[in-house]
Amino acid sequence: MASPTGKSTPQAKDRTTKKQQGKERPVRLSVNLSPEISEIFSQLVERKGLSITEGVRTAIKVWKFLEDEIAAGNQIAVIEPDKSVHKVYVI
């Protein structure tokens, strides 16, 4: 990946070089969240007792699961305690 000046950055090189001596290295990410989303995320990881890293991993896994199910032609739904079903639209 290149910087705005067109030169390769060390961070970009780290992202593309995932393996070192036969072991996968973690990819370090930096994200910017709005205060509202940051608060929601903090509440979720606290509720589940997760670290921020595990929270991000879980969010990505759930997102992938939903995308895979939709790509397979399946629908996503919520089943209420009274057994009523509500279709969920994922955007």
Side-chain angles (χ1 to χ4, degrees):
M1 185 179 295
S3 69
T5 61
K7 296 180 181 177
S8 182
T9 63
Q11 294 85 1
K13 186 175 181 181
D14 283 345
R15 285 190 199 113
T16 58
T17 309
K18 293 182 183 178
K19 292 190 177 187
Q20 180 181 24
Q21 299 175 347
K23 295 182 180 180
E24 285 197 19
R25 295 185 325 166
V27 176
R28 184 172 285 279
L29 300 175
S30 174
V31 298
N32 296 314
L33 302 175
S34 68
E36 178 186 9
I37 296 300
S38 177
E39 180 61 28
I40 290 168
F41 184 72
S42 294
Q43 290 172 3
L44 288 169
V45 295
E46 185 176 322
R47 184 185 311 164
K48 289 292 193 178
L50 301 174
S51 67
I52 292 173
T53 298
E54 282 303 314
V56 170
R57 289 178 184 149
T58 300
I60 292 169
K61 287 185 235 179
V62 169
W63 184 11
K64 181 181 183 326
F65 169 78
L66 293 171
E67 291 294 330
D68 289 350
E69 291 300 313
I70 292 167
N74 296 322
Q75 296 182 13
I76 309 300
V78 172
I79 303 172
E80 299 284 345
D82 67 1
K83 306 296 183 206
S84 61
V85 178
H86 304 278
K87 182 175 179 183
V88 175
Y89 295 93
V90 180
I91 54 173

